[in-house]
Amino acid sequence: MMTTTNETLTPVTLDELQMMTDFNYLHDRGEIAFQEVNTTNYLASRLDEMGISYERFDGFTGLLATIGDGRKPLIGLRTDIDALKQVYQAKPASSTPVATILT
């Protein structure tokens, strides 16, 4: 584990093993765009475990998570959660969708 600190932020403990577990779980179960139901549920479960509040979207996948009390500094992050073919560690790879085969 690694702990990082910043003068204006609360210390954060980074669990590198858990990060790789999350990466591998999500990478092995990729879902196509707008159908990332399992991915969204997994992310919600992990946020629950960390005590981080979030909002779900009616009729759409994905989450909006909030960390902190909303005062400055504010940082916005956006990420795609759908499966894409890719090169990983110099090898062709793709996430294996749960219900749909990518071609």
Side-chain angles (χ1 to χ4, degrees):
M1 282 196 208
M2 178 174 69
T3 301
T4 62
T5 57
N6 181 303
E7 293 176 15
T8 60
L9 299 176
T10 306
V12 175
T13 300
L14 301 176
D15 183 337
E16 294 175 37
L17 179 59
Q18 182 63 57
M19 290 188 327
M20 288 309 301
T21 298
D22 293 337
F23 173 85
N24 289 326
Y25 179 90
L26 293 168
H27 190 270
D28 290 343
R29 293 161 180 82
E31 298 173 289
I32 60 174
F34 306 108
Q35 297 180 30
E36 309 96 331
V37 174
N38 294 319
T39 301
T40 299
N41 290 338
Y42 183 85
L43 295 173
S45 174
R46 291 290 294 125
L47 291 170
D48 286 339
E49 290 173 18
M50 292 183 273
I52 298 173
S53 63
Y54 58 89
E55 299 172 52
R56 290 182 182 252
F57 304 105
D58 291 334
F60 293 97
T61 55
L63 304 165
L64 175 63
T66 303
I67 301 171
D69 60 10
R71 292 184 293 176
K72 292 183 180 180
L74 301 174
I75 299 171
L77 300 175
R78 179 192 179 277
T79 184
D80 288 327
I81 61 172
D82 56 354
L84 300 172
K85 291 185 179 184
Q86 59 188 309
V87 174
Y88 178 66
Q89 295 183 344
K91 297 177 186 173
S94 66
S95 299
T96 304
V98 173
T100 305
I101 302 297
L102 292 178
T103 57

